[in-house]
Amino acid sequence: MAQQQLHSTEELDQFVAESGKRLLFKHSTTCPISATAYSEFQAFLQGESVPSAVIHVIEDRPVSNAVAERFEIKHESPQLFLLVDGQVKWHTSHWKITKDAIAQALKA
């Protein structure tokens, strides 16, 4: 399943409004920690059919800020959210973003 990049709050609204489980990754393209976390995220997605989206926090800051405001969760980067029917059911950041952690969160 293709990963979507969100560039606007309208695209964010549409992604969040979909039902079921979805993964949302906030990525800093200039941060080595974020690069490692993004690699873990991509490794998890190989062979998985979970809808996912990424927000580049520097390039699309208004979208990144909208996530923090909407879900009332302090901005971090990298940051990963598991959404279920539009609600955050799990989130983590930095070195805690691993292929195994994502798999466990989806099973819970």
Side-chain angles (χ1 to χ4, degrees):
M1 180 168 286
Q3 177 181 286
Q4 179 181 2
Q5 185 173 345
L6 305 179
H7 297 286
S8 69
T9 55
E10 291 78 16
E11 290 173 337
L12 173 65
D13 293 342
Q14 184 176 13
F15 181 79
V16 170
E18 297 291 325
S19 64
K21 294 181 179 180
R22 311 175 80 64
L23 292 170
L24 179 61
F25 187 88
K26 289 171 65 173
H27 178 44
S28 171
T29 55
T30 62
C31 172
I33 296 170
S34 193
T36 300
Y38 188 70
S39 293
E40 289 283 324
F41 178 57
Q42 292 301 307
F44 172 79
L45 291 175
Q46 294 300 314
E48 293 292 331
S49 61
V50 179
S52 63
V54 64
I55 298 167
H56 289 176
V57 299
I58 296 169
E59 295 85 346
D60 295 310
R61 187 162 309 278
V63 185
S64 176
N65 291 342
V67 171
E69 292 167 13
R70 172 184 295 224
F71 297 116
E72 298 180 346
I73 296 173
K74 180 184 173 221
H75 165 76
E76 296 188 69
S77 176
Q79 191 170 30
L80 180 65
F81 300 87
L82 169 60
L83 305 173
V84 180
D85 298 329
Q87 300 297 315
V88 175
K89 296 300 179 187
W90 174 83
H91 66 95
T92 193
S93 67
H94 294 84
W95 297 112
K96 294 178 184 174
I97 299 172
T98 65
K99 182 179 175 181
D100 290 341
I102 300 166
Q104 288 183 11
L106 280 167
K107 286 180 187 174

